[in-house]
Amino acid sequence: PARSIVNSCLALMSGVVVRHNGRIIKTIGDEIMCAFARADDAVLAASEIQVQVDAKRPGDRHIKIHSGLHYGPVLIEGNDIFGYTVNAGAYLTAVAAPEQILTTDAIERTLAPELRSCVRPVFRVVLKGSDEESTISQVVWQKDTAAITNVSLGAQKLIPGDEGSLV
């Protein structure tokens, strides 16, 4: 039964990716890796995936998807892609909370203004393979945003710095 639910989710997600001009690279267990030529299409697809999976409830279960998006060049070998961009997207997928879409400032810079208004900063990080700090943001796809916390990354710290951190 679990595999049937996973397959239903993958089929639903694949359909959304194709509708938004994306290309399915591969599926890995219950994950899907895809590529888009435009950041707008990737954000729209990730948002629609959240809405569709929540609405259709494959297997009559509340499945919670977490997504990571990054924009940049990739290495292409056959039907697979590799490189920093893929690794950054995979990292964001791993740290995204259930029902959350995380993205980088590289995506945000290329978004149309109406989509950029749906992106809110969450934290800053130096991504593996980069020397520069990136702002990680979440794409707000829900209609009801009352339960979403706003983070001000530009706020002045009033407490002394610490070598540790809490994630």
Side-chain angles (χ1 to χ4, degrees):
R3 190 69 191 144
S4 175
I5 293 170
V6 168
N7 288 338
S8 294
C9 283
L10 291 174
L12 189 146
M13 292 187 285
S14 296
V16 171
V17 167
V18 170
R19 275 196 305 281
H20 287 280
N21 306 308
R23 180 169 70 99
I24 307 237
I25 304 301
K26 60 184 169 184
T27 58
I28 309 149
D30 63 351
E31 296 183 6
I32 187 170
M33 183 191 335
C34 45
F36 296 86
R38 296 177 349 112
D40 284 11
D41 291 333
V43 167
L44 290 169
S47 298
E48 185 180 335
I49 284 170
Q50 293 286 359
V51 170
Q52 291 293 323
V53 169
D54 186 56
K56 297 197 175 178
R57 297 185 180 255
D60 204 26
R61 304 280 184 180
H62 185 70
I63 308 297
K64 297 183 179 189
I65 306 294
H66 51 108
S67 304
L69 309 173
H70 186 54
Y71 179 82
V74 296
L75 302 170
I76 302 171
E77 287 184 13
N79 292 327
D80 209 348
I81 58 175
F82 302 91
Y84 170 74
T85 301
V86 174
N87 294 340
Y91 164 76
L92 294 176
T93 300
V95 299
E99 298 184 322
Q100 186 177 47
I101 303 166
L102 290 182
T103 189
T104 60
D105 39 14
I107 287 254
E108 186 177 1
R109 283 191 297 268
T110 64
L111 289 175
E114 58 274 10
L115 286 177
R116 198 174 304 129
S117 69
C118 299
V119 176
R120 296 183 182 172
V122 180
F123 62 93
R124 289 193 179 112
V125 68
V126 176
L127 295 167
K128 183 179 176 182
S130 176
D131 296 327
E132 297 179 18
E133 188 174 65
S134 293
T135 299
I136 306 304
S137 299
Q138 94 174 10
V139 175
V140 179
W141 60 272
Q142 302 93 331
K143 291 191 187 302
D144 181 8
T145 59
I148 297 175
T149 302
N150 284 323
V151 176
S152 176
L153 296 179
Q156 185 179 17
K157 294 182 181 179
L158 301 176
I159 1 182
D162 183 8
E163 294 300 313
S165 66
L166 177 64
V167 177

